[in-house]
Structure formats: structure tokens, C-alpha cells
Amino acid sequence: NTQTSSRKLDHLRICCEHEVEAGSAGFEDVRLVHEALPEQDLKDIRLETEFLGASLGAPLFIAAMTGGHPATTEVNRRLARVARTFGLGLGVGSQRAALEHPELAGSFSVVRDEAPNAFLCANLGAVQLRDHGAGWAEQAVEMIDADALCIHLNFLQEAIQPEGDHDARGCLAAIAELCEDFKTPVIVKETGAGISRETGRLIWGAGAAAIDLGGAGGTSWVAVEVERTEDEGLRSLGERFLDWGIPTVVSLGEVGGTGPVIATGGVRSGIDVAKAIALGASLGGMALPFLRPAMQSDDALEAAVGTVLREVRAAMFLTGSGSITDLAKARTYITGKTRQMLEI
Ligand code: FMN
């Protein structure tokens, strides 16, 4: 409905103009071990990596944000261009609005027009998958000729919304049924509350190809809803849950290395990307840090992504990692609250 579409625009505006981050992802408690004799040339370091059979230029993923309103087409166009320039993976935002209103499909399909060879991920909520079936999943993939399909989980956000989907039953079965004979790899993705070890087992058991653990400590959908609402009840319930969820680094401790994992949620620099990989992620993903530059210009976005990749390269240089395979073996020190949580 048009409500889904205008809500998308509201979200972008709020994420650009207000403080929507809450808690800590835990990266400040992680330090990569410095190697004082790296014995390599910084310019020869190889950032290339593989993910779900695709070759990527760097282990950075641009996480799902937008589409679904005509005004978002330009943002997706710029995200796709930068993904093409650097060989990055890119996810589009939830395609629900375009599945309900096919005339909105162009705001998503623009990514394939701009980046014919990029690794692109379609996006659909687990609730929509359960309620509308694999037909919607198929259409979402076709709309952008996707290489993978993200099924997102957002029950924290649903729980605090009076009109949210409060019945979570049947989503796991719907995912398992989809994975059984879907030709495109399925990525199960949280959106800011993290994936536990137990939920990770359920997701692998259902046949998912990858997990995007979407941990706490970055963009908070609770913060967005609190900002958006005039309902006092929602506001006070939301404020209680601002800090809810498994921080990204802790979630990495729970599911990192159990399969292909994307770490999103509060990844804020190339050093964070490098830390995530050393902690068992295949890719580090960022959404919010690229939103503002993507709303500005191609140049602003290219500069933002370029900075992150230079930081990844420098972190690899200083840990003596010549490749992403080496970086995955780099040693880390973990301190503070993050360490305490990891020991539980
Ligand atoms: N995740 C989804 O799976 N589907 C969405 O439609 C979606 N929309 C988003 C819109 C905005 C403006 C932002 C900032 C994030 C959105 N996300 C969505 C979540 C991100 O993909 C990501 O998991 C989350 O924001 C954590 O990363 P960050 O802290 O770097 O922003």
C-alpha cells in the first residue's frame, strides 16, 4: 500500500536528520594485534574475496536500505554505481511496497540497470514470506535479477509497534520451505538485534546459505519508531527497548565462523570491517554511514566508500595480512563488557 511506500521515505528522512543509533556494537572492546614487522607492501595487499560463489572486490557489503518510493530511485542508483566501481555486494531495502504496487519496481530494478555484474541481494520480510509464499520471493529476486535473497527478521520493531506483526509463528517453517527448492541462495538477516547461537542453528537447519547477523549497536529501528511516533505508549515502550539485542561483536562470537556470515550493525570504519573478519565474518556490512553521502552525490558516496577501503587495507598491512584469508586468521584482544558477554 502507499502507506508502506511513504513510511520508507519517513525512515530515510529520520535516519538522515536524527540520532538513530543506540547502544554499542562492541568494536571498541576489540583490538587487532599489531605486527611491527609486517614484511609486505601495502599496495600489494589483496582485498578481493569470495562470497556465495561470487567474486567481490572487497569484503564490504552495502546493507539493505531503500527503494519503494519514486524519490528513493536516485539513492539506489548511486549505491549501485559505487557497488559497481568497487566490486561490492549491495542489498536493496524491503521490496514489499513494490510487490504490492508493481509501479514502484523501478526504484529497485535501477540497481541492476546500473550494476549489471554486481552481487545484488533482494529483500523481503519473513512475515511477508510466510503470508504471501514463495511467489513473492520469486518476484523479489526477478525484480532486480538478484544473486541472493535476504529474508529479514525484525520482531523487536514489530513488538513495540501497536500495529506491528505480533504473531511470529510459522516464519521458520516458511524459510525452511523456501530454502528447499529455491534456486537463489537465501540469506537470513536480522535488522539490529543480533542472532544468537541457538537461532543460528535454526537458520542453518532451515537450509539458509548465509546469515547477516544485524547486531545491536548501530541503527536502531526502535529509535526510528520512537522518533516517528506521536503515540505516548509506543514511545515509552520503545525507550525501554532502545538497548535491547545482542551487540554485533557478541553475535559474531555466537555465530561467526559457523557458515558464511555478514556482520552488520554499528560497523563504522574499515577497522571495524577488519575486526569483524578476524572474528569470523565473511563480510562487514554498513548501512547508515552510506545513507547521507548516497543522498548527496556520487562523489560523496565514492569518497565515503574509498575511505573505508583504505582503512581496511591499512589494518591488513599492520596485522601482516596480505589477503582476506590471512585477515581471517589475525589475532584480536577482547576486553570489557564484550569479553564478559562472550564468556557467558
Ligand atoms: N534492513 C532490511 O533488511 N530491510 C530494509 O528494508 C532495511 N531498511 C533500512 C533503511 C535504512 C534507512 C537503514 C539505515 C537501515 C535499513 N535496514 C534494512 C537495516 C540495515 O540493512 C542494517 O542491517 C542495519 O541498519 C544495521 O547496519 P548499520 O548500523 O550500519 O546501519
Side-chain angles (χ1 to χ4, degrees):
N1 50 22
T2 45
Q3 227 179 334
T4 314
S5 175
S6 68
R7 195 166 63 219
K8 279 275 135 194
L9 212 54
D10 258 11
H11 286 159
L12 283 198
R13 189 181 47 75
I14 291 169
C15 286
C16 272
E17 294 170 7
H18 296 268
E19 178 54 53
V20 293
E21 293 178 87
S24 160
F27 286 105
E28 74 283 4
D29 286 336
V30 182
R31 196 172 276 258
L32 286 157
V33 176
H34 174 70
E35 300 301 349
L37 276 169
E39 286 294 315
Q40 58 176 344
D41 188 335
L42 185 129
K43 75 171 186 323
D44 293 336
I45 288 170
R46 296 176 311 281
L47 267 68
E48 292 82 2
T49 190
E50 295 232 328
F51 186 72
L52 299 183
S55 301
L56 303 179
L60 174 64
F61 189 81
I62 304 175
M65 274 191 283
T66 200
H69 187 286
T72 63
T73 305
E74 197 53 33
V75 177
N76 266 342
R77 190 194 314 278
R78 291 190 186 126
L79 291 170
R81 280 197 196 127
V82 87
R84 182 188 60 194
T85 302
F86 292 99
L88 308 181
L90 165 67
V92 296
S94 170
Q95 289 165 266
R96 175 184 179 177
L99 292 164
E100 289 169 348
H101 291 268
E103 69 275 15
L104 294 170
S107 63
F108 293 102
S109 59
V110 64
V111 297
R112 184 51 87 196
D113 301 339
E114 290 292 333
N117 302 313
F119 181 80
L120 298 180
C121 296
N123 191 293
L124 195 61
V127 170
Q128 280 77 53
L129 174 69
R130 177 197 64 192
D131 295 349
H132 297 271
W136 267 32
E138 199 104 31
Q139 286 181 54
V141 166
E142 275 172 17
M143 195 184 299
I144 65 164
D145 185 19
D147 299 282
L149 169 65
C150 290
I151 298 294
H152 73 252
L153 311 173
N154 66 338
F155 287 108
L156 169 56
Q157 184 187 6
E158 302 289 3
I160 64 152
Q161 284 182 297
E163 78 282 11
D165 282 301
H166 294 166
D167 184 357
R169 292 174 299 174
C171 288
L172 178 63
I175 292 168
E177 199 183 322
L178 177 71
C179 292
E180 214 162 278
D181 52 14
F182 204 58
K183 287 176 204 72
T184 309
V186 173
I187 303 173
V188 176
K189 174 182 187 301
E190 239 294 345
T191 49
I195 300 285
S196 70
R197 189 180 299 132
E198 295 76 12
T199 301
R201 276 194 213 109
L202 296 178
I203 293 170
W204 297 131
I211 290 176
D212 179 338
L213 59 80
T219 305
S220 157
W221 286 98
V222 177
V224 174
E225 294 300 343
V226 165
E227 197 60 61
R228 211 166 65 92
T229 190
E230 277 162 21
D231 177 328
E232 266 316 306
L234 196 167
R235 193 193 307 276
S236 66
L237 183 61
E239 280 168 356
R240 288 274 181 232
F241 280 85
L242 269 178
D243 199 28
W244 184 270
I246 308 168
T248 298
V249 172
V250 177
S251 185
L252 264 172
E254 307 247 325
V255 300
T258 61
V261 167
I262 307 176
T264 63
V267 173
R268 291 297 173 261
S269 70
I271 304 177
D272 290 350
V273 172
K275 288 175 180 176
I277 290 165
L279 294 171
S282 305
L283 306 176
M286 295 162 81
L288 191 64
F290 296 140
L291 179 59
R292 229 180 258 149
M295 290 182 81
Q296 251 164 34
S297 67
D298 284 308
D299 286 349
L301 183 58
E302 197 169 314
V305 170
T307 299
V308 171
L309 296 184
R310 273 195 299 281
E311 292 163 355
V312 174
R313 185 178 292 274
M316 290 175 71
F317 179 64
L318 297 171
T319 53
S321 311
S323 67
I324 299 302
T325 314
D326 293 342
L327 179 60
K329 292 179 222 146
R331 199 155 64 85
T332 54
Y333 303 111
I334 302 180
T335 58
K337 211 190 230 177
T338 303
R339 182 180 192 128
Q340 289 176 347
M341 287 179 80
L342 287 169
E343 281 169 357
I344 292 166

PDB file of all heavy atoms in Angstrom, residues 8 12 15 63-65 93-94 123 152 189 191 218-219 221 264-266 268 286-289 291, ligand 1:
ATOM      1  N   LYS A   8       8.638   4.384   4.040  1.00  0.00           N
ATOM      2  CA  LYS A   8      10.032   4.230   3.593  1.00  0.00           C
ATOM      3  C   LYS A   8      10.733   5.584   3.509  1.00  0.00           C
ATOM      4  O   LYS A   8      11.888   5.721   3.856  1.00  0.00           O
ATOM      5  CB  LYS A   8      10.054   3.561   2.208  1.00  0.00           C
ATOM      6  CG  LYS A   8       9.908   2.069   2.284  1.00  0.00           C
ATOM      7  CD  LYS A   8      11.241   1.415   2.511  1.00  0.00           C
ATOM      8  CE  LYS A   8      11.141   0.347   3.568  1.00  0.00           C
ATOM      9  NZ  LYS A   8      12.423  -0.114   4.076  1.00  0.00           N
ATOM     10  N   LEU A  12      13.967   7.204   5.771  1.00  0.00           N
ATOM     11  CA  LEU A  12      15.193   7.801   5.237  1.00  0.00           C
ATOM     12  C   LEU A  12      15.427   9.176   5.850  1.00  0.00           C
ATOM     13  O   LEU A  12      16.544   9.504   6.264  1.00  0.00           O
ATOM     14  CB  LEU A  12      15.097   7.968   3.713  1.00  0.00           C
ATOM     15  CG  LEU A  12      15.277   6.751   2.837  1.00  0.00           C
ATOM     16  CD1 LEU A  12      15.580   7.184   1.417  1.00  0.00           C
ATOM     17  CD2 LEU A  12      16.396   5.854   3.341  1.00  0.00           C
ATOM     18  N   CYS A  15      16.444   8.832   9.507  1.00  0.00           N
ATOM     19  CA  CYS A  15      17.812   8.301   9.640  1.00  0.00           C
ATOM     20  C   CYS A  15      18.857   9.349   9.273  1.00  0.00           C
ATOM     21  O   CYS A  15      19.972   9.326   9.786  1.00  0.00           O
ATOM     22  CB  CYS A  15      17.991   7.056   8.779  1.00  0.00           C
ATOM     23  SG  CYS A  15      17.155   5.623   9.470  1.00  0.00           S
ATOM     24  N   ALA A  63      24.594  -2.646   3.089  1.00  0.00           N
ATOM     25  CA  ALA A  63      23.410  -3.356   3.583  1.00  0.00           C
ATOM     26  C   ALA A  63      22.107  -2.675   3.153  1.00  0.00           C
ATOM     27  O   ALA A  63      22.065  -1.474   2.886  1.00  0.00           O
ATOM     28  CB  ALA A  63      23.469  -3.464   5.101  1.00  0.00           C
ATOM     29  N   ALA A  64      21.071  -3.479   3.132  1.00  0.00           N
ATOM     30  CA  ALA A  64      19.729  -3.084   2.688  1.00  0.00           C
ATOM     31  C   ALA A  64      19.266  -1.766   3.275  1.00  0.00           C
ATOM     32  O   ALA A  64      19.269  -1.589   4.490  1.00  0.00           O
ATOM     33  CB  ALA A  64      18.740  -4.178   3.090  1.00  0.00           C
ATOM     34  N   MET A  65      18.857  -0.851   2.414  1.00  0.00           N
ATOM     35  CA  MET A  65      18.285   0.386   2.917  1.00  0.00           C
ATOM     36  C   MET A  65      17.009   0.806   2.227  1.00  0.00           C
ATOM     37  O   MET A  65      16.034   1.115   2.884  1.00  0.00           O
ATOM     38  CB  MET A  65      19.299   1.529   2.849  1.00  0.00           C
ATOM     39  CG  MET A  65      20.200   1.583   4.060  1.00  0.00           C
ATOM     40  SD  MET A  65      21.166   3.075   4.146  1.00  0.00           S
ATOM     41  CE  MET A  65      22.426   2.752   2.962  1.00  0.00           C
ATOM     42  N   GLY A  93      16.469  -2.346  -0.086  1.00  0.00           N
ATOM     43  CA  GLY A  93      15.541  -2.380   1.039  1.00  0.00           C
ATOM     44  C   GLY A  93      14.379  -3.326   0.750  1.00  0.00           C
ATOM     45  O   GLY A  93      14.268  -3.874  -0.361  1.00  0.00           O
ATOM     46  N   SER A  94      13.542  -3.499   1.755  1.00  0.00           N
ATOM     47  CA  SER A  94      12.393  -4.395   1.626  1.00  0.00           C
ATOM     48  C   SER A  94      11.588  -4.073   0.365  1.00  0.00           C
ATOM     49  O   SER A  94      11.237  -2.923   0.114  1.00  0.00           O
ATOM     50  CB  SER A  94      11.487  -4.258   2.844  1.00  0.00           C
ATOM     51  OG  SER A  94      10.277  -4.944   2.588  1.00  0.00           O
ATOM     52  N   ASN A 123      15.266  -8.337  -1.058  1.00  0.00           N
ATOM     53  CA  ASN A 123      14.931  -8.238   0.372  1.00  0.00           C
ATOM     54  C   ASN A 123      13.426  -8.346   0.609  1.00  0.00           C
ATOM     55  O   ASN A 123      12.630  -7.661  -0.024  1.00  0.00           O
ATOM     56  CB  ASN A 123      15.454  -6.901   0.912  1.00  0.00           C
ATOM     57  CG  ASN A 123      15.406  -6.820   2.435  1.00  0.00           C
ATOM     58  OD1 ASN A 123      14.326  -6.803   3.025  1.00  0.00           O
ATOM     59  ND2 ASN A 123      16.557  -6.783   3.070  1.00  0.00           N
ATOM     60  N   HIS A 152      14.432 -10.777   5.929  1.00  0.00           N
ATOM     61  CA  HIS A 152      14.768 -10.050   7.155  1.00  0.00           C
ATOM     62  C   HIS A 152      13.837 -10.366   8.328  1.00  0.00           C
ATOM     63  O   HIS A 152      12.661 -10.686   8.150  1.00  0.00           O
ATOM     64  CB  HIS A 152      14.898  -8.539   6.905  1.00  0.00           C
ATOM     65  CG  HIS A 152      13.609  -7.812   6.674  1.00  0.00           C
ATOM     66  ND1 HIS A 152      13.245  -7.332   5.441  1.00  0.00           N
ATOM     67  CD2 HIS A 152      12.628  -7.445   7.518  1.00  0.00           C
ATOM     68  CE1 HIS A 152      12.081  -6.718   5.537  1.00  0.00           C
ATOM     69  NE2 HIS A 152      11.681  -6.771   6.791  1.00  0.00           N
ATOM     70  N   LYS A 189      18.487 -12.506   7.704  1.00  0.00           N
ATOM     71  CA  LYS A 189      19.089 -11.246   8.143  1.00  0.00           C
ATOM     72  C   LYS A 189      18.331 -10.620   9.302  1.00  0.00           C
ATOM     73  O   LYS A 189      17.140 -10.361   9.188  1.00  0.00           O
ATOM     74  CB  LYS A 189      19.050 -10.298   6.935  1.00  0.00           C
ATOM     75  CG  LYS A 189      19.494  -8.878   7.181  1.00  0.00           C
ATOM     76  CD  LYS A 189      19.358  -8.060   5.909  1.00  0.00           C
ATOM     77  CE  LYS A 189      19.950  -6.683   6.068  1.00  0.00           C
ATOM     78  NZ  LYS A 189      19.337  -5.900   7.146  1.00  0.00           N
ATOM     79  N   THR A 191      17.941  -7.221  11.860  1.00  0.00           N
ATOM     80  CA  THR A 191      17.959  -5.800  11.499  1.00  0.00           C
ATOM     81  C   THR A 191      18.314  -4.910  12.688  1.00  0.00           C
ATOM     82  O   THR A 191      17.834  -3.799  12.805  1.00  0.00           O
ATOM     83  CB  THR A 191      16.586  -5.401  10.930  1.00  0.00           C
ATOM     84  OG1 THR A 191      15.582  -5.874  11.835  1.00  0.00           O
ATOM     85  CG2 THR A 191      16.345  -5.985   9.559  1.00  0.00           C
ATOM     86  N   GLY A 218      24.185  -0.382  16.239  1.00  0.00           N
ATOM     87  CA  GLY A 218      24.201   0.544  15.108  1.00  0.00           C
ATOM     88  C   GLY A 218      22.838   1.177  14.983  1.00  0.00           C
ATOM     89  O   GLY A 218      22.247   1.592  15.985  1.00  0.00           O
ATOM     90  N   THR A 219      22.323   1.214  13.760  1.00  0.00           N
ATOM     91  CA  THR A 219      20.989   1.771  13.543  1.00  0.00           C
ATOM     92  C   THR A 219      19.978   0.994  14.367  1.00  0.00           C
ATOM     93  O   THR A 219      19.953  -0.234  14.340  1.00  0.00           O
ATOM     94  CB  THR A 219      20.604   1.670  12.050  1.00  0.00           C
ATOM     95  OG1 THR A 219      21.627   2.313  11.286  1.00  0.00           O
ATOM     96  CG2 THR A 219      19.268   2.346  11.791  1.00  0.00           C
ATOM     97  N   TRP A 221      16.022   0.389  14.990  1.00  0.00           N
ATOM     98  CA  TRP A 221      14.664   0.611  14.474  1.00  0.00           C
ATOM     99  C   TRP A 221      13.740   1.066  15.567  1.00  0.00           C
ATOM    100  O   TRP A 221      12.742   1.741  15.308  1.00  0.00           O
ATOM    101  CB  TRP A 221      14.157  -0.623  13.732  1.00  0.00           C
ATOM    102  CG  TRP A 221      14.880  -0.646  12.449  1.00  0.00           C
ATOM    103  CD1 TRP A 221      15.993  -1.363  12.140  1.00  0.00           C
ATOM    104  CD2 TRP A 221      14.663   0.246  11.360  1.00  0.00           C
ATOM    105  NE1 TRP A 221      16.463  -0.975  10.913  1.00  0.00           N
ATOM    106  CE2 TRP A 221      15.659   0.002  10.417  1.00  0.00           C
ATOM    107  CE3 TRP A 221      13.708   1.230  11.091  1.00  0.00           C
ATOM    108  CZ2 TRP A 221      15.741   0.707   9.217  1.00  0.00           C
ATOM    109  CZ3 TRP A 221      13.782   1.921   9.902  1.00  0.00           C
ATOM    110  CH2 TRP A 221      14.792   1.660   8.977  1.00  0.00           C
ATOM    111  N   THR A 264      26.633  -6.896  10.161  1.00  0.00           N
ATOM    112  CA  THR A 264      26.181  -5.505  10.094  1.00  0.00           C
ATOM    113  C   THR A 264      25.685  -5.092  11.471  1.00  0.00           C
ATOM    114  O   THR A 264      25.419  -5.932  12.330  1.00  0.00           O
ATOM    115  CB  THR A 264      25.039  -5.265   9.079  1.00  0.00           C
ATOM    116  OG1 THR A 264      23.896  -6.004   9.486  1.00  0.00           O
ATOM    117  CG2 THR A 264      25.418  -5.673   7.675  1.00  0.00           C
ATOM    118  N   GLY A 265      25.548  -3.795  11.641  1.00  0.00           N
ATOM    119  CA  GLY A 265      25.095  -3.247  12.919  1.00  0.00           C
ATOM    120  C   GLY A 265      26.248  -2.549  13.605  1.00  0.00           C
ATOM    121  O   GLY A 265      27.055  -3.181  14.291  1.00  0.00           O
ATOM    122  N   GLY A 266      26.357  -1.237  13.392  1.00  0.00           N
ATOM    123  CA  GLY A 266      27.391  -0.471  14.089  1.00  0.00           C
ATOM    124  C   GLY A 266      28.796  -0.646  13.556  1.00  0.00           C
ATOM    125  O   GLY A 266      29.750  -0.241  14.220  1.00  0.00           O
ATOM    126  N   ARG A 268      31.473   0.838  11.700  1.00  0.00           N
ATOM    127  CA  ARG A 268      31.579   2.267  11.400  1.00  0.00           C
ATOM    128  C   ARG A 268      32.904   2.689  10.770  1.00  0.00           C
ATOM    129  O   ARG A 268      33.153   3.875  10.580  1.00  0.00           O
ATOM    130  CB  ARG A 268      31.328   3.091  12.690  1.00  0.00           C
ATOM    131  CG  ARG A 268      29.883   3.030  13.167  1.00  0.00           C
ATOM    132  CD  ARG A 268      28.943   3.649  12.145  1.00  0.00           C
ATOM    133  NE  ARG A 268      27.531   3.474  12.484  1.00  0.00           N
ATOM    134  CZ  ARG A 268      26.754   2.520  11.960  1.00  0.00           C
ATOM    135  NH1 ARG A 268      27.230   1.639  11.091  1.00  0.00           N
ATOM    136  NH2 ARG A 268      25.473   2.444  12.270  1.00  0.00           N
ATOM    137  N   MET A 286      27.682  -2.278   6.079  1.00  0.00           N
ATOM    138  CA  MET A 286      27.316  -0.973   6.631  1.00  0.00           C
ATOM    139  C   MET A 286      26.103  -0.431   5.891  1.00  0.00           C
ATOM    140  O   MET A 286      26.031  -0.542   4.670  1.00  0.00           O
ATOM    141  CB  MET A 286      28.478   0.019   6.471  1.00  0.00           C
ATOM    142  CG  MET A 286      29.715  -0.366   7.273  1.00  0.00           C
ATOM    143  SD  MET A 286      31.218   0.479   6.721  1.00  0.00           S
ATOM    144  CE  MET A 286      31.043   2.036   7.512  1.00  0.00           C
ATOM    145  N   ALA A 287      25.200   0.179   6.630  1.00  0.00           N
ATOM    146  CA  ALA A 287      24.043   0.837   6.011  1.00  0.00           C
ATOM    147  C   ALA A 287      24.100   2.334   6.296  1.00  0.00           C
ATOM    148  O   ALA A 287      24.476   3.125   5.442  1.00  0.00           O
ATOM    149  CB  ALA A 287      22.746   0.216   6.516  1.00  0.00           C
ATOM    150  N   LEU A 288      23.757   2.731   7.501  1.00  0.00           N
ATOM    151  CA  LEU A 288      23.626   4.152   7.853  1.00  0.00           C
ATOM    152  C   LEU A 288      24.798   5.044   7.418  1.00  0.00           C
ATOM    153  O   LEU A 288      24.556   6.136   6.907  1.00  0.00           O
ATOM    154  CB  LEU A 288      23.389   4.278   9.369  1.00  0.00           C
ATOM    155  CG  LEU A 288      22.980   5.657   9.862  1.00  0.00           C
ATOM    156  CD1 LEU A 288      21.624   6.072   9.303  1.00  0.00           C
ATOM    157  CD2 LEU A 288      22.957   5.699  11.385  1.00  0.00           C
ATOM    158  N   PRO A 289      26.060   4.613   7.590  1.00  0.00           N
ATOM    159  CA  PRO A 289      27.160   5.514   7.214  1.00  0.00           C
ATOM    160  C   PRO A 289      27.154   5.903   5.733  1.00  0.00           C
ATOM    161  O   PRO A 289      27.738   6.915   5.369  1.00  0.00           O
ATOM    162  CB  PRO A 289      28.425   4.704   7.546  1.00  0.00           C
ATOM    163  CG  PRO A 289      27.975   3.730   8.572  1.00  0.00           C
ATOM    164  CD  PRO A 289      26.559   3.384   8.214  1.00  0.00           C
ATOM    165  N   LEU A 291      24.258   6.283   3.966  1.00  0.00           N
ATOM    166  CA  LEU A 291      22.974   6.890   3.592  1.00  0.00           C
ATOM    167  C   LEU A 291      23.114   8.368   3.246  1.00  0.00           C
ATOM    168  O   LEU A 291      22.680   8.812   2.185  1.00  0.00           O
ATOM    169  CB  LEU A 291      21.939   6.693   4.707  1.00  0.00           C
ATOM    170  CG  LEU A 291      20.568   7.303   4.423  1.00  0.00           C
ATOM    171  CD1 LEU A 291      19.960   6.725   3.161  1.00  0.00           C
ATOM    172  CD2 LEU A 291      19.624   7.102   5.600  1.00  0.00           C
TER     173      LEU A 291
HETATM  174  N1  FMN B   1      17.177  -3.954   6.535  1.00  0.00           N
HETATM  175  C1  FMN B   1      16.374  -4.771   5.829  1.00  0.00           C
HETATM  176  O1  FMN B   1      16.566  -5.979   5.876  1.00  0.00           O
HETATM  177  N2  FMN B   1      15.359  -4.270   5.055  1.00  0.00           N
HETATM  178  C2  FMN B   1      15.150  -2.934   4.934  1.00  0.00           C
HETATM  179  O2  FMN B   1      14.235  -2.508   4.229  1.00  0.00           O
HETATM  180  C3  FMN B   1      16.011  -2.051   5.641  1.00  0.00           C
HETATM  181  N3  FMN B   1      15.854  -0.708   5.527  1.00  0.00           N
HETATM  182  C4  FMN B   1      16.764   0.133   6.132  1.00  0.00           C
HETATM  183  C5  FMN B   1      16.666   1.507   5.927  1.00  0.00           C
HETATM  184  C6  FMN B   1      17.589   2.389   6.486  1.00  0.00           C
HETATM  185  C7  FMN B   1      17.470   3.857   6.226  1.00  0.00           C
HETATM  186  C8  FMN B   1      18.642   1.870   7.301  1.00  0.00           C
HETATM  187  C9  FMN B   1      19.659   2.788   7.934  1.00  0.00           C
HETATM  188  C10 FMN B   1      18.727   0.510   7.525  1.00  0.00           C
HETATM  189  C11 FMN B   1      17.802  -0.395   6.956  1.00  0.00           C
HETATM  190  N4  FMN B   1      17.878  -1.778   7.148  1.00  0.00           N
HETATM  191  C12 FMN B   1      17.026  -2.615   6.460  1.00  0.00           C
HETATM  192  C13 FMN B   1      18.852  -2.375   8.086  1.00  0.00           C
HETATM  193  C14 FMN B   1      20.260  -2.425   7.539  1.00  0.00           C
HETATM  194  O3  FMN B   1      20.318  -3.264   6.408  1.00  0.00           O
HETATM  195  C15 FMN B   1      21.297  -2.905   8.586  1.00  0.00           C
HETATM  196  O4  FMN B   1      21.099  -4.264   8.897  1.00  0.00           O
HETATM  197  C16 FMN B   1      21.201  -2.107   9.865  1.00  0.00           C
HETATM  198  O5  FMN B   1      20.919  -0.746   9.606  1.00  0.00           O
HETATM  199  C17 FMN B   1      22.491  -2.158  10.668  1.00  0.00           C
HETATM  200  O6  FMN B   1      23.564  -1.544   9.993  1.00  0.00           O
HETATM  201  P1  FMN B   1      24.079  -0.053  10.327  1.00  0.00           P
HETATM  202  O7  FMN B   1      24.245   0.054  11.810  1.00  0.00           O
HETATM  203  O8  FMN B   1      25.357   0.083   9.569  1.00  0.00           O
HETATM  204  O9  FMN B   1      23.044   0.914   9.817  1.00  0.00           O
END
